[in-house]
Amino acid sequence: CDHSKFINNSKNILKAVGNYVYENLKSNKILINKPQGGFYLMPEFLNKKFNTSADMCTDLLNKKGVAILPGSDFGFSAKKMISRLSYTDFDGKNFMSNVNIDTKFDEDLIKKFAPKIVEGTKRLKDWAEKA
């Protein structure tokens, strides 16, 4: 059974969604590397308001309803405001059934098929700018 179409569409969707999150979060408040594959990013928040990355993640969840994991769960110092952010909160089956080899992955497509990612990114950026 040939799964190449499914794999290619999956890669294209995750690349487009990851780039959307990256482009909309990178700022003078958030250090973030462009995604190289996979489905998560590791942003560092340049905010020294929190004692630990876990405290920072709790604050974000309480204030904005956005859940990210503290970098300390992945071996980073608890004092560094690094987190792990997954960008997979969307209906993959629906997204997949609406793309093909010729699909132009633009912001409108992300907004249509990954609205929770768009909203979560907006909330996260708003929180980072005010924290």
Side-chain angles (χ1 to χ4, degrees), residues 50-96:
F50 304 102
N51 291 321
T52 67
S53 57
D55 291 344
M56 176 188 72
C57 291
T58 299
D59 187 75
L60 173 62
L61 181 61
N62 290 338
K63 289 184 176 165
K64 292 292 184 174
V66 174
I68 58 176
L69 294 170
S72 56
D73 287 356
F74 300 92
F76 293 96
S77 166
K79 302 285 182 206
K80 285 191 82 74
M81 298 303 119
I82 295 175
S83 65
R84 181 171 168 168
L85 181 161
S86 171
Y87 47 87
T88 56
D89 190 8
F90 58 88
D91 181 343
K93 185 176 182 180
N94 185 37
F95 206 147
M96 183 77 71

